[in-house]
Amino acid sequence: MSKREARKIHISGAVQGVGFRPFVWRIAHEEGVTGEVANTAEGVIISVEGDSAQVDRFLQRLQQEPPALARIDSIRVEPASLSNVTSFTIVESSGGVANTVILPDIGLCDDCLMELFDPSERRFRYPFITCTNCGPRYSIIEKLPYDRPNTTMKDFPLCPDCAREYADPSDRRFHAQPLACPVCGPQLALLDGDGNVLAEKDDALIQTILAIQDGKIVAVKGIGGFQLMVNALNEDAVKRLRLRKQREEKPFAVMMSNGGQVCDYVEADASAFAVMSGPEAPILLCRKRTDPLARQLPDAIAPGNPNLGVMLPYSPLHYLLMGSLGIPVVATSGNLSDEPICIDEQEALERLHGIADLFLVHNRPIARHVDDSVVRLVNDEVQVLRRARGYAPMPVRFEQPLPHILAVGAHFKNTVALSVGQNVFLSQHIGDLETVEAHRAFRESVESLRGLYDHPLDAVACDLHPDYLSTQYAKSLDVPVIPVQHHEAHVVSCLAENHLTGPAVGIAWDGLGLGHDRTIWGGEFFRVDEDYSCERVASLIPFPLPGGDKANREPRRAALGVLYTLLGEDIFQRNDLASVTAFAEHELTMLKEMLSRGTNCPVTSSMGRLFDVVASLLDLRQILTFEGQAAMQLEYLLHGDIPDSKPYSFQWVESDQDVTRLDWRPMVRQILDNIGNGIACEIISRRFHDTLVDIILDATIRFGEKRVAMSGGCFQNRYLLEQAIKRMTENGFEPVWHRELPPNDGGIALGQVMIAGRILKQREE
């Protein structure tokens, strides 16, 4: 027999809440080794001893056979002293410095789904069935390590049957922290708008189903907050929800009962189903079908939009609801527009009063709001557009430790990030910081993330814009503040997410961000070095935005600024331009004076605003009801057979600021000529998009780097991104784009961390 030896094994990564300790216990027993395994705030620690062959096999299987939901980031093995223990045990968790990975909330697994609908099982029709392979995680954890006393399940003592499962390492519910059953776990209740209990337990579920069938709006408390649910086939009910929620045209998501129903209404292939039915279970943007059955879904769900956000049930409560309803159901965030979702019953009764007719609630507290994630397929790969349930707070991991930095993100589509050791943890989607409620949710999210990973901060990174609430919050902390330019953060985030550095060309195209010169940027080209330092090498020729912030909501104003730059005051006499005729005469008089004097007309280099300009010139959209609406309508025109047409002209011109300027004026002149000649909007949109692809390729060639990173809200445009990837690949370049993080402002906190980390390092040197 080979010599007996001992090892201590430190494992970091997503190794808590995934059945990792019972997995270790099982292979230890199978290999005949002894010792113990424990959760700590840093990960999992294993003490193991046996003969050398046994220990080697144990280590090999540890790395090759981890649980499906586990993600091992690192394994450190150290020699240890023999203790001559005679068994292998799972011991109580311990504290320490927190840096372990918290798992996101996970969709219901197949085993629990079978039990849910099996009358012989004791959890038959129990809306909170779960095991170590599924269920809530991030939305219930209060502190590390991830053990039941540190979650919102701490006030639900286990009954004898659940306690037996919880303590049995051979059971799939061993140390499943959300573990419960009808005897000892959370329960449902149906409330009216005044908070009176109408029904409880299964009766509450049955009455909710009847109410939805009858066209009622029901606020349903889910895993990470409330959803507003309504019969998607009832047009009047959908319109009533829009009116009450104050959400004029922004699309609603729809939950389908099963894959067959999905195919009835949208175009979905095997890749789409793999995404929707995976553990993340996000909302997936799919193309609507156009046959008579599909047209039963009213246009009011996604007005004028050829796409539909679709999801499948992901929690046991959703499976029970949808299994009985059998119809598509609008499932949208439980909030007023621009506010965070409600997570508490009392909060929901107050904030959703007058919106929801009924409230289906439960008594399992939610530790933090976690909205549904939204994704789309780009080049047959998932691209996250809103990162929340199923994805947050999974980190991006780097080879070297980083300073401990809090990044507070931007003003719109806010998320925050925190670097701890080699990990950068990224919060769930918080939203636009436009309201008191949104700002409160932002502060709570920051404090929650910092509370989980309680380390002293080296710095806090924020946007360069001094008026953003996130910037003001950063400055309120007693920590060194590092402002980071918005678009530099975009391109660095894109590279860092993909574990790449410069040299690279970085292209940041979005709506707005304050530049170093205090003007509004948004159509920027950078040269990015190996240490993530950025040099702005090119930008769009600036144009004025009459009315300032109003122009961000009114494409007609941005168009007027472009037309004035191109044609001067003659435009005010033109009755053939949709952007001009969209205004009343007295408005034009005021705008003419503003432009001629340069009063309240900040200039911008924004590509996002240029999208708005083209949409306005084509009279697709003059006033927005939600961000990005005009650009989306331009993209919608690209579906179907559009004749190939030569892209428009553009040119690069030198400026007196050492920044090459992209001259968009030849393109806009040609667009105006096309409009005057009656060319179809679909062809103009195609030519416009293809011109932008040409610009991306030409910039990559001009600035002489093989690698090019594309970030910013404009790269949510699937056609633009896929065509840019295709053209650059064909020409031997290396395109880099966002997958796990949103290309919009929801992804820039990572870039803020990386740039702030570089600045701190330079200061130390």
Side-chain angles (χ1 to χ4, degrees):
M1 176 181 278
S2 59
K3 181 181 177 183
R4 189 171 178 83
E5 58 183 42
R7 295 285 184 272
K8 192 166 189 178
I9 306 162
H10 303 258
I11 304 176
S12 65
V15 289
Q16 295 186 16
V18 294
F20 201 87
R21 287 178 298 168
F23 152 71
V24 173
W25 180 89
R26 177 176 58 80
I27 63 172
H29 280 261
E30 290 173 359
E31 295 302 335
V33 297
T34 61
E36 64 183 33
V37 58
N39 277 346
T40 74
E42 297 175 280
V44 168
I45 293 181
I46 305 167
S47 296
V48 61
E49 51 189 76
D51 67 53
S52 57
Q54 289 175 313
V55 172
D56 287 345
R57 285 196 302 271
F58 173 81
L59 286 169
Q60 185 179 39
R61 294 184 65 186
L62 196 64
Q63 297 175 72
Q64 294 179 350
E65 304 173 21
L69 295 175
R71 190 192 81 183
I72 295 176
D73 289 331
S74 69
I75 296 181
R76 189 174 81 252
V77 182
E78 303 171 350
S81 300
L82 289 168
S83 59
N84 295 314
V85 294
T86 58
S87 63
F88 193 93
T89 58
I90 298 172
V91 300
E92 289 298 316
S93 301
S94 60
V97 179
N99 63 11
T100 194
V101 173
I102 299 169
L103 215 63
D105 301 308
I106 302 163
L108 193 67
C109 71
D110 290 341
D111 289 331
C112 285
L113 181 59
M114 290 178 62
E115 286 186 28
L116 183 66
F117 290 104
D118 185 345
S120 68
E121 292 288 344
R122 69 187 187 92
R123 294 184 177 88
F124 173 59
R125 288 184 60 81
Y126 182 57
F128 307 97
I129 187 171
T130 185
C131 70
T132 54
N133 299 318
C134 63
R137 299 293 193 274
Y138 184 48
S139 63
I140 63 169
I141 189 168
E142 295 177 326
K143 61 181 179 178
L144 290 169
Y146 177 63
D147 283 317
R148 193 178 182 93
N150 295 336
T151 73
T152 61
M153 290 297 294
K154 62 182 179 294
D155 294 327
F156 294 93
L158 295 172
C159 68
D161 287 334
C162 286
R164 186 165 49 252
E165 294 170 324
Y166 187 84
D168 182 359
S170 66
D171 195 290
R172 82 173 196 277
R173 292 192 167 94
F174 174 79
H175 276 237
Q177 310 308 343
L179 176 62
C181 77
V183 174
C184 62
Q187 301 292 345
L188 294 176
L190 184 65
L191 312 179
D192 65 15
D194 295 322
N196 301 309
V197 177
L198 302 177
E200 295 181 306
K201 300 183 179 180
D202 206 48
D203 285 343
L205 194 64
I206 293 168
Q207 289 197 33
T208 298
I209 291 163
L210 294 172
I212 292 173
Q213 289 173 335
D214 194 39
K216 296 286 195 303
I217 299 169
V218 183
V220 177
K221 185 180 180 183
I223 287 180
F226 278 82
Q227 292 173 313
L228 293 167
M229 303 187 78
V230 71
N231 182 349
L233 299 178
N234 186 327
E235 185 172 13
D236 288 340
V238 174
K239 288 180 176 179
R240 191 165 64 252
L241 176 58
R242 282 206 175 278
L243 183 65
R244 293 182 183 181
K245 191 174 159 69
Q246 299 174 25
R247 183 165 169 155
E248 293 179 63
E249 296 178 282
K250 193 174 183 180
F252 286 141
V254 176
M255 183 174 283
M256 304 288 186
S257 298
N258 50 53
Q261 194 172 79
V262 170
C263 289
D264 287 341
Y265 295 98
V266 298
E267 299 172 4
D269 57 14
S271 297
F273 283 116
V275 173
M276 283 188 282
S277 60
E280 298 87 2
I283 298 168
L284 178 67
L285 297 185
C286 299
R287 195 82 184 182
K288 292 177 184 175
R289 294 176 64 91
T290 56
D291 51 63
L293 175 60
R295 288 199 295 271
Q296 291 180 12
L297 281 179
D299 188 59
I301 293 174
N305 192 329
N307 300 317
L308 187 66
V310 178
M311 59 180 152
L312 290 171
Y314 54 82
S315 76
L317 178 57
H318 287 115
Y319 274 104
L320 291 169
L321 287 171
M322 299 304 296
S324 295
L325 282 165
I327 55 173
V329 172
V330 167
T332 188
S333 303
N335 58 4
L336 269 174
S337 290
D338 299 325
E339 289 187 356
I341 60 173
C342 301
I343 63 172
D344 174 79
E345 292 90 292
Q346 190 57 45
E347 177 192 24
L349 286 167
E350 293 172 3
R351 288 175 50 203
L352 302 181
H353 182 76
I355 300 177
D357 299 307
L358 298 169
F359 296 77
L360 181 64
V361 303
H362 58 75
N363 57 338
R364 181 177 69 199
I366 297 171
R368 60 189 54 79
H369 79 275
V370 187
D371 218 323
D372 294 317
S373 293
V374 180
V375 307
R376 75 184 317 163
L377 288 172
V378 173
N379 271 16
D380 295 322
E381 295 183 72
V382 171
Q383 182 187 54
V384 176
L385 301 178
R386 184 172 77 190
R387 189 177 188 270
R389 179 186 50 76
Y391 296 93
M394 289 296 283
V396 178
R397 185 174 175 83
F398 298 94
E399 291 184 3
Q400 300 298 323
L402 297 160
H404 192 49
I405 297 169
L406 169 69
V408 295
H411 188 71
F412 296 107
K413 296 180 173 60
N414 181 271
T415 62
V416 299
L418 185 69
S419 55
V420 182
Q422 294 169 254
N423 291 320
V424 179
F425 294 94
L426 299 138
S427 80
Q428 75 279 25
H429 167 82
I430 298 167
D432 299 348
L433 305 185
E434 295 279 82
T435 64
V436 172
E437 290 292 341
H439 192 224
R440 177 185 58 80
F442 160 77
R443 295 176 70 95
E444 289 175 352
S445 297
V446 171
E447 290 160 9
S448 170
L449 195 58
R450 289 190 66 190
L452 289 170
Y453 299 100
D454 187 16
H455 297 240
L457 290 174
D458 295 312
V460 56
C462 63
D463 196 273
L464 195 63
H465 202 301
D467 296 334
Y468 284 175
L469 290 176
S470 54
T471 301
Q472 293 172 10
Y473 173 82
K475 291 178 179 178
S476 74
L477 302 177
D478 188 21
V479 179
V481 176
I482 300 178
V484 176
Q485 201 282 320
H486 187 91
H487 302 95
E488 293 177 9
H490 263 305
V491 296
V492 169
S493 173
C494 183
L495 289 166
E497 175 199 332
N498 287 278
H499 298 96
L500 298 170
T501 64
V505 173
I507 301 176
W509 287 356
D510 67 359
L512 62 94
L514 186 67
H516 290 298
D517 61 1
R518 317 309 288 178
T519 65
I520 301 169
W521 293 5
E524 314 309 314
F525 302 80
F526 298 93
R527 184 173 284 113
V528 187
D529 292 336
E530 292 181 359
D531 65 353
Y532 291 136
S533 59
C534 298
E535 176 193 5
R536 185 187 187 217
V537 292
S539 179
L540 270 66
I541 287 180
F543 54 90
L545 294 175
D549 285 344
K550 282 188 175 181
N552 298 324
R553 299 184 294 272
E554 298 184 22
R556 60 185 185 171
R557 288 176 179 263
L560 213 60
V562 161
L563 291 170
Y564 185 83
T565 302
L566 199 64
L567 304 172
E569 294 190 0
D570 290 347
I571 61 167
F572 295 102
Q573 312 306 319
R574 298 278 296 267
N575 293 319
D576 59 332
L577 296 175
S579 306
V580 176
T581 57
F583 291 98
E585 187 173 343
H586 73 278
E587 291 175 310
L588 284 177
T589 300
M590 176 188 66
L591 289 164
K592 178 180 178 181
E593 184 174 349
M594 289 169 61
L595 285 163
S596 62
R597 293 185 176 186
T599 305
N600 195 20
C601 289
V603 296
T604 185
S605 56
S606 168
M607 181 60 79
R609 295 291 79 82
L610 200 59
F611 268 91
D612 287 354
V613 168
V614 177
S616 172
L617 294 175
L618 296 179
D619 205 18
L620 298 176
R621 176 64 56 173
Q622 303 296 353
I623 298 176
L624 305 182
T625 63
F626 62 90
E627 186 190 12
Q629 188 178 20
M632 289 167 65
Q633 290 188 241
L634 264 182
E635 184 185 3
Y636 298 158
L637 294 174
L638 300 177
H639 189 66
D641 295 326
I642 302 173
D644 286 337
S645 185
K646 183 180 177 182
Y648 296 119
S649 302
F650 63 91
Q651 60 189 22
W652 302 95
V653 296
E654 300 302 320
S655 75
D656 57 1
Q657 300 178 356
D658 298 323
V659 175
T660 301
R661 294 292 189 179
L662 173 65
D663 190 350
W664 42 262
R665 291 173 296 188
M667 176 177 67
V668 174
R669 285 193 181 94
Q670 290 171 318
I671 289 173
L672 291 172
D673 288 343
N674 280 184
I675 293 171
N677 291 326
I679 302 298
C681 290
E682 291 83 356
I683 294 175
I684 295 173
S685 179
R686 169 74 179 271
R687 294 187 70 183
F688 172 67
H689 281 83
D690 288 345
T691 305
L692 300 188
V693 175
D694 278 358
I695 289 169
I696 292 170
L697 180 60
D698 200 54
T700 306
I701 296 168
R702 170 176 290 269
F703 299 114
E705 302 294 351
K706 183 177 181 181
R707 180 174 293 163
V708 57
M710 298 172 286
S711 186
C714 292
F715 290 106
Q716 293 178 123
N717 185 311
R718 181 177 177 180
Y719 179 89
L720 174 64
L721 182 57
E722 287 187 335
Q723 290 301 310
I725 293 167
K726 179 175 180 289
R727 291 283 302 283
M728 282 190 287
T729 303
E730 289 173 348
N731 284 273
F733 295 103
E734 180 189 352
V736 184
W737 67 97
H738 290 280
R739 296 173 176 85
E740 296 181 12
L741 301 186
N744 57 48
D745 286 2
I748 72 166
L750 174 62
Q752 290 177 340
V753 167
M754 305 311 292
I755 292 173
R758 170 181 60 79
I759 292 171
L760 282 180
K761 183 178 178 182
Q762 289 173 342
R763 289 176 181 176
E764 291 172 358
E765 295 173 349

